[in-house]
Amino acid sequence: MENKNLPVGTQDKIEPEIMLHSEYIHFFRQKGINFKAWGSAGPDFLFEQLGIIGEVKKEDSLSMLKAAIKEIFERKKQRFKISSQNAFFVICGDSIRYYTQVNKDYWQDVDLDDCVFFSGKYKDSFLDFISNRGNKIYVENHLSYALDLLLNEDFQMSITDGLQLLFNLNNDKRLHVNEGIFFNPGEGSKQRFIEIKCKKNRKKELLNFVNTFTVKDIGKVKEYVKHNYSRHLHDTKKANLGKYYTPKEIAETLKQEIEPKINNNTYILDLACGCGAFLELFDDCHAIGRDIDSQAMEILELFNFSNIGEDNTLLNVSRSKYGLSEADDVIIVGNPPYNDYSSRNRRYSTKAKSEPSPVDADIKSRDIGRSFLEAYAKLEPRYICVLHPLAYLIKPTSFRNLKYLRQSYRLENATIFKSHIFPDLKRRTPFPIVIATYKRDAGGMDFDYIQNFNFNIHNDTVKFRLSSVVQAGHDYIRQTVTSVDKNSSDIGLYHYNFRDINSLNKANFQNEEYRANHVDTMLVVNYIDLWKYCYVNCIKKFLIPMLVEDNNYILGNLNPILDKEVVESDEQYWRDLFIMCAILKNSHRIDCMCIENRTNNMLSKNFLFNDFRKRSRQSHHPVNIYKIFLDFADNPDEQKMEIIFGLINDYFRVLVKKCFK
């Protein structure tokens, strides 16, 4: 945005203010609010029906706040005069202040601290407040903001105090003191003191919250907490616990699955119960809840759950811990944590590097989720019905590590859904999670059983069967460093280690210089295997975007999928096509693939091009890919390149369809 009438040198200073003003104009319009907006000719905002006038400044500072209030008070037109308004507001950077001091004679008389404060991050709260003409608004409509505020580490409040404060917003019997807030002061057992330890400005923000919001339906607040508590935890705590609380839709789907198996004498155990999302659904059963998180226990006590307790489920695994005998009928439900300890520390920096809780030696695993499944199996329930990553079953190594589960249980039913249904996981690459029902069975299950199992897909009629998917395993395409990788590549090309399709989000190829610094984690790519890693590159460039677009996230945890029947029927054609595609995609950044520089190892003496020229003369395919590629190398033309890319896209589309027959 540019204003050519501004004096030279002032545009950069004004720009942020204009942008902020535009942001709020767009927001109010989006919400269907009736308002007027001006630039220099009048106030920044006027809500005539509400009698509210507003000004915008680029940053939250005392000088900017005073300047805005001065502008508001010094407007001369009757329509804009402060005496004609019911209230005024000032937007300074990421802060919004609402004032009712319209009866002051001079702007200097305004008490700057006597206002209602809102964070610009939660504009909806401010909009709700002014639409309600400055009266208290219901916190049920702003629970995301409320928990973000109350669980902020700056306030040093226990979760119990934070929720008690939330539940008491409609309680007018309170007294604010420097150290905190008294609810029902002087009323004996009803009296509760909530201590607030924080800086003065943060304390003011909290008291402002208490004075701005009220609560109408505490049940709705509790429901939100049960299913969304983890969204508002600090990343460090979330990472260490591996906690992602279960959305209500998924919890109810699990209940529908296991409910027919329950009888009057059944004990329902949730041994990673969090804030009670599952305990609530099975409250008419003999329900037992345990969790290692003391704060979760505080919440459950606040919600009046019974038969709950703080416990490390993975230590001293036995029925006796829960007061159960060997004869008791038991079903285990829930959403146990799943978290790879090694990857956690890489992702969450040093703050997350806490020692994991102790685990019985026979169920210890790098992934805490597999340890939970093994602990459940050791307790010998009649059924286990829990959420866990699909990878635990469909990856042979992970499946073999589930010793107790696979030896004594058989998968009876399973529904796959997308990880993005968990709000905490939306920013990560989507992966499949399964609601799995295991029945105790002396025969157990082997991997062949899993391969031929028909998995349901949430909200879809299509089934997924692992045996329908052909994967290029380690025997076909090496995925991790071996002794071969101590040598140098004959074409100066190296590749990242990778575990599955989802791990291909990093750049695929790396050069000699990078190799020198990452010698232990780089695969050597020699010319004889070039097509294989070019194929992997094509998966990244073409298949992964296709999977995201078409919602086929289920394939993400597999080894590179491959249509061997097609590729091996005319292997030279397809292998060359994958190589061509990788060269076209990486020519600008990988030395040995640079078409314009044919002095590198792979293209030296034109041996690759000479092979392509021979095959161009011999090609029997309807589309002569060799001729197209060679023509492009001599005369780059985007249309020719798109023909090659189109063939690769067609190959992957057909391949994906075969996976979901």
Side-chain angles (χ1 to χ4, degrees):
M1 189 180 295
E2 183 180 4
N3 188 338
K4 294 182 179 178
N5 296 321
L6 293 173
V8 175
T10 63
Q11 289 185 17
D12 290 342
K13 296 179 182 178
I14 301 298
E15 183 76 11
E17 192 169 299
I18 295 175
M19 296 299 290
L20 190 60
H21 189 210
S22 298
E23 178 187 325
Y24 276 83
I25 287 174
H26 176 72
F27 171 71
F28 292 139
R29 283 177 179 164
Q30 194 179 39
K31 296 294 182 178
I33 303 300
N34 186 14
F35 70 96
K36 302 284 186 183
W38 288 269
S40 57
D44 286 335
F45 289 107
L46 180 64
F47 297 84
E48 289 186 296
Q49 292 177 348
L50 299 173
I52 301 174
I53 196 167
E55 204 66 42
V56 177
K57 294 297 177 186
K58 65 178 181 178
E59 63 186 33
D60 190 8
S61 66
L62 182 60
S63 60
M64 288 286 179
L65 177 61
K66 288 180 177 179
I69 294 174
K70 182 180 180 183
E71 284 183 39
I72 291 171
F73 269 75
E74 292 184 349
R75 297 204 178 274
K76 302 299 182 185
K77 283 189 179 180
Q78 185 62 38
R79 185 185 186 188
F80 302 151
K81 277 186 176 181
I82 191 63
S83 57
S84 303
Q85 313 303 323
N86 297 318
F88 65 94
F89 66 90
V90 178
I91 298 169
C92 285
D94 198 34
S95 299
I96 310 171
R97 292 173 176 84
Y98 174 92
Y99 295 87
T100 56
Q101 303 173 59
V102 295
N103 58 343
K104 303 294 183 183
D105 293 326
Y106 304 102
W107 71 267
Q108 295 95 330
D109 297 334
V110 173
D111 182 350
L112 300 181
D113 291 332
D114 184 13
C115 66
V116 180
F117 178 91
F118 297 90
S119 167
K121 184 180 177 182
Y122 300 99
K123 300 182 185 71
D124 283 332
S125 302
F126 167 68
L127 191 54
D128 195 0
F129 184 76
I130 62 171
S131 299
N132 203 34
R133 298 183 180 273
N135 296 311
K136 285 190 174 184
I137 55 179
Y138 292 125
V139 77
E140 294 94 306
N141 300 324
H142 306 280
L143 286 170
S144 179
Y145 163 66
L147 282 213
D148 274 352
L149 179 72
L150 297 174
L151 294 181
N152 190 297
E153 294 178 338
D154 286 354
F155 296 124
Q156 301 179 43
M157 274 192 299
S158 70
I159 183 63
T160 307
D161 280 349
L163 291 179
Q164 282 284 15
L165 193 151
L166 194 58
F167 298 159
N168 278 282
L169 286 174
N170 60 349
N171 184 351
D172 291 329
K173 295 180 180 179
R174 61 175 178 261
L175 175 66
H176 301 168
V177 297
N178 286 336
E179 296 79 20
I181 303 173
F182 277 107
F183 285 102
N184 304 314
E187 295 190 19
S189 61
K190 288 185 178 181
Q191 179 175 291
R192 182 176 182 87
F193 177 66
I194 296 177
E195 186 178 17
I196 303 172
K197 297 178 180 177
C198 59
K199 293 180 179 178
K200 183 179 178 181
N201 62 325
R202 295 311 307 272
K203 186 179 293 187
K204 191 181 297 182
E205 184 178 356
L206 188 61
L207 294 178
N208 176 81
F209 170 80
V210 172
N211 292 326
T212 304
F213 291 89
T214 187
V215 60
K216 182 179 182 182
D217 185 352
I218 291 178
K220 187 175 180 181
V221 177
K222 290 181 177 180
E223 187 76 8
Y224 180 88
V225 173
K226 287 169 191 170
H227 296 282
N228 297 279
Y229 170 56
S230 72
R231 290 176 58 185
H232 305 278
L233 289 173
H234 191 275
D235 262 354
T236 300
K237 185 173 180 64
K238 205 155 32 182
N240 284 333
L241 294 175
K243 280 185 174 293
Y244 300 98
Y245 279 36
T246 315
K248 187 174 183 179
E249 175 189 1
I250 296 301
E252 289 179 341
T253 301
L254 183 146
K255 183 187 179 184
Q256 291 168 12
E257 168 60 29
I258 199 63
E259 201 165 26
K261 324 288 186 188
I262 300 171
N263 59 51
N264 292 334
N265 299 316
T266 302
Y267 287 90
I268 301 293
L269 271 64
D270 184 353
L271 303 180
C273 63
C275 293
F278 290 103
L279 295 179
E280 172 191 41
L281 295 178
F282 296 100
D283 61 355
D284 55 347
C285 306
H286 306 295
I288 298 174
R290 298 290 187 271
D291 202 290
I292 198 171
D293 183 3
S294 58
Q295 287 195 343
M297 287 300 104
E298 289 181 27
I299 294 172
L300 291 176
E301 289 171 2
L302 200 60
F303 290 175
N304 298 316
F305 279 101
S306 58
N307 207 345
I308 56 170
E310 185 179 340
D311 177 57
N312 179 359
T313 301
L314 305 181
L315 188 64
N316 303 322
V317 177
S318 68
R319 285 191 171 207
S320 61
K321 275 211 303 184
Y322 312 110
L324 298 171
S325 71
E326 298 303 315
D328 286 326
D329 181 49
V330 174
I331 291 177
I332 295 178
V333 301
N335 176 20
Y338 41 89
N339 194 22
D340 185 320
Y341 287 121
S342 60
S343 65
R344 176 195 68 192
N345 289 344
R346 286 197 299 271
R347 180 178 171 205
Y348 286 100
S349 79
T350 55
K351 288 185 179 178
K353 293 179 181 177
S354 64
E355 285 297 317
S357 300
V359 179
D360 286 350
D362 60 335
I363 63 171
K364 195 175 179 85
S365 170
R366 191 178 74 173
D367 192 311
I368 193 174
R370 294 204 298 265
S371 294
F372 267 91
L373 287 180
E374 290 291 83
Y376 294 165
K378 278 185 70 176
L379 292 169
E380 300 184 350
R382 182 162 51 93
Y383 279 96
I384 299 170
C385 186
V386 294
L387 281 66
H388 65 71
L390 181 62
Y392 291 178
L393 295 178
I394 63 176
K395 289 189 172 184
T397 303
S398 297
F399 179 77
R400 283 195 300 271
N401 288 335
L402 297 172
K403 181 178 64 174
Y404 292 124
L405 186 73
R406 62 181 172 81
Q407 288 177 354
S408 303
Y409 286 83
R410 185 177 289 261
L411 185 63
E412 186 175 273
N413 195 36
T415 301
I416 300 170
F417 59 94
K418 190 177 185 179
S419 60
H420 281 185
I421 201 165
F422 288 84
D424 303 281
L425 299 174
K426 280 188 175 177
R427 287 181 292 180
R428 292 177 56 185
T429 302
F431 62 91
I433 298 175
V434 65
I435 299 174
T437 303
Y438 300 96
K439 182 180 181 180
R440 186 159 173 76
D441 188 316
M445 56 184 171
D446 57 17
F447 192 66
D448 186 60
Y449 177 81
I450 296 298
Q451 282 189 302
N452 291 287
F453 189 88
N454 285 322
F455 289 87
N456 300 313
I457 300 176
H458 187 55
N459 291 334
D460 205 330
T461 57
V462 176
K463 305 282 186 182
F464 173 72
R465 183 187 288 187
L466 187 58
S467 60
S468 299
V469 183
V470 177
Q471 302 177 62
H474 294 269
D475 58 331
Y476 207 85
I477 302 176
R478 284 188 305 109
Q479 298 174 31
T480 54
V481 170
T482 65
S483 58
V484 174
D485 298 288
K486 301 302 179 183
N487 303 319
S488 295
S489 165
D490 57 8
I491 52 175
L493 190 62
Y494 302 90
H495 196 288
Y496 279 115
N497 274 346
F498 58 94
R499 300 182 310 278
D500 49 34
I501 294 174
N502 277 343
S503 66
L504 296 175
N505 285 327
K506 293 180 178 179
N508 294 120
F509 295 118
Q510 292 293 347
N511 58 23
E512 186 77 49
E513 182 181 352
Y514 189 93
R515 160 73 172 170
N517 296 321
H518 300 81
V519 67
D520 295 327
T521 57
M522 298 301 296
L523 293 156
V524 169
V525 181
N526 287 313
Y527 185 72
I528 191 172
D529 290 326
L530 174 63
W531 79 269
K532 297 178 181 179
Y533 295 96
C534 287
Y535 180 73
V536 171
N537 188 255
C538 290
I539 286 176
K540 178 194 171 181
K541 301 291 187 181
F542 295 90
L543 177 60
I544 290 177
M546 194 182 296
L547 295 181
V548 172
E549 182 180 340
D550 297 339
N551 217 24
N552 288 318
Y553 56 92
I554 294 171
L555 302 177
N557 282 140
L558 300 177
N559 287 324
I561 59 175
L562 180 72
D563 194 331
K564 288 185 181 178
E565 186 179 340
V566 168
V567 172
E568 293 179 357
S569 66
D570 192 350
E571 62 181 35
Q572 199 60 63
Y573 171 86
W574 286 101
R575 293 178 182 187
D576 287 343
L577 184 62
F578 300 140
I579 291 172
M580 291 176 190
C581 191
I583 289 174
L584 292 173
K585 281 288 186 182
N586 296 281
S587 179
H588 64 290
R589 68 184 190 90
I590 303 295
D591 290 343
C592 69
M593 292 187 173
C594 181
I595 294 175
E596 297 174 358
N597 176 20
R598 299 181 196 176
T599 61
N600 58 64
N601 287 351
M602 192 169 83
L603 303 179
S604 62
K605 301 180 182 176
N606 284 341
F607 74 85
L608 186 70
F609 286 82
N610 286 337
D611 286 345
F612 285 178
R613 288 188 186 96
K614 290 176 187 175
R615 290 170 196 153
S616 175
R617 293 191 291 269
Q618 300 165 357
S619 176
H620 58 275
H621 284 271
V623 179
N624 189 331
I625 58 171
Y626 300 101
K627 185 176 188 307
I628 293 169
F629 180 81
L630 291 167
D631 286 349
F632 177 87
D634 292 331
N635 298 291
D637 179 347
E638 191 170 325
Q639 191 172 4
K640 296 170 188 170
M641 185 167 61
E642 290 302 324
I643 294 173
I644 302 290
F645 294 166
L647 292 170
I648 296 289
N649 268 317
D650 291 344
Y651 163 84
F652 281 123
R653 285 194 187 96
V654 172
L655 176 56
V656 170
K657 281 186 179 179
K658 287 184 177 181
C659 295
F660 293 93
K661 278 187 177 179

